[in-house]
Amino acid sequence: MPFGLNLKRFLRGVVDDEITEEEAYRRVYREDALCDDLPNAAPGNTSPAGTVASDIECPICGMQADRFLPFGLDNRPNVQCPSCGSVERHRILWLYLAEHTDFMTRPARVLHTAPEPCMEDRFRDIHGAGYVTIDRFNAFADVETDIKTLPFEDGQFDVILSSHVLEHIRDDRPAIRELGRVLRPGGWAVIMVPYDPDKPTYEDSSIDTPEGRLEAFGHPFHFRIYGNDMAERLAEAGLESEVLAAKDIFDPAVRRRFRLNRNHLLYCRKTGGNPPANS
Ligand SMILES: [Zn+2]
């Protein structure tokens, strides 16, 4: 999702069930593509990369600032980079890829689901024609497709990036199975989702309105909050996973400088062959 602030404008209509998820995201993407200017910081609040030493910095675009912009349905303060639009989870993913993998230096065949605008062009520069983006509701993605029926060969990708997508899928197991299918044996994936390490996955199919989901899961289009059994869902798709907490992989000075939060990411490796189609 490009800008939560934009989705926030539709929240009333979404909660009242007047605007569907598809309509809301299509409008967000369309308006984002038509708008060259990202939200601006307050005058004097920011400095271009490398000019004045400021308290915080975006690792993706290099913007330094005393303060970032508020973001999200709850308007969290000091979150969004005023230059590239990154929020905490984007910066965590970027820093993880840069510091803990060879993603930034070795071109690969990459599948990126619902690509974040702040990273998409930068990743395409690295991976060229090997970089493929998909989205359900974004006509600007390389392939507009449902993640549960991917139009790709078994083992077509070396790397998959999927951040904050699976919680939007009512029945997530076929989607996870598809991600496992199109990843080559030995390939790896980074998956990010709303995640609580202290509880099992919380989902309830009887909660079936945007308003109910907002209350239960914190977002009108989310179907669950993942928990410590997520490794089992991934294993069903042939993905061995390890949960990494931002607070464990980045020291406090890094977390402060780049405005990271307590997000988790799941680093997955594809084991052996592909799982059976009907597992
Ligand atoms: Zn930035």
Side-chain angles (χ1 to χ4, degrees), residues 109-112 130-132 150 152-160 182-185 187-188:
R109 299 169 303 167
V110 178
L111 177 65
H112 192 177
Y131 178 72
V132 178
L150 293 175
F152 304 120
E153 308 276 321
D154 293 0
Q156 187 171 326
F157 295 99
D158 305 306
V159 177
I160 293 176
V182 302
L183 186 62
R184 72 165 167 80
W188 55 273

Side-chain angles (χ1 to χ4, degrees), residues 81-202:
C81 170
S83 173
C84 73
S86 72
V87 302
E88 300 105 332
R89 64 175 180 266
H90 305 146
R91 297 189 288 271
I92 288 170
L93 176 60
W94 177 274
L95 287 167
Y96 178 77
L97 293 172
E99 295 177 4
H100 295 269
T101 76
D102 61 5
F103 186 84
M104 302 297 195
T105 53
R106 181 195 290 249
R109 299 169 303 167
V110 178
L111 177 65
H112 192 177
T113 68
E116 298 81 356
C118 59
M119 292 186 271
E120 181 178 357
D121 289 348
R122 292 170 169 91
F123 290 168
R124 203 179 292 281
D125 284 346
I126 297 167
H127 300 285
Y131 178 72
V132 178
T133 62
I134 62 167
D135 199 289
R136 250 191 315 172
F137 306 133
N138 182 359
F140 298 97
D142 294 325
V143 183
E144 200 176 348
T145 180
D146 190 320
I147 195 173
K148 291 188 285 190
T149 52
L150 293 175
F152 304 120
E153 308 276 321
D154 293 0
Q156 187 171 326
F157 295 99
D158 305 306
V159 177
I160 293 176
L161 305 178
S162 182
S163 178
H164 288 257
V165 167
L166 292 174
E167 71 273 19
H168 289 256
I169 313 292
R170 185 183 295 272
D171 180 8
D172 64 335
R173 284 183 166 84
I176 296 172
R177 208 153 53 221
E178 277 294 84
L179 294 179
R181 180 183 68 77
V182 302
L183 186 62
R184 72 165 167 80
W188 55 273
V190 174
I191 293 176
M192 297 179 80
V193 287
Y195 185 85
D196 184 340
D198 299 320
K199 294 178 183 163
T201 296
Y202 170 46

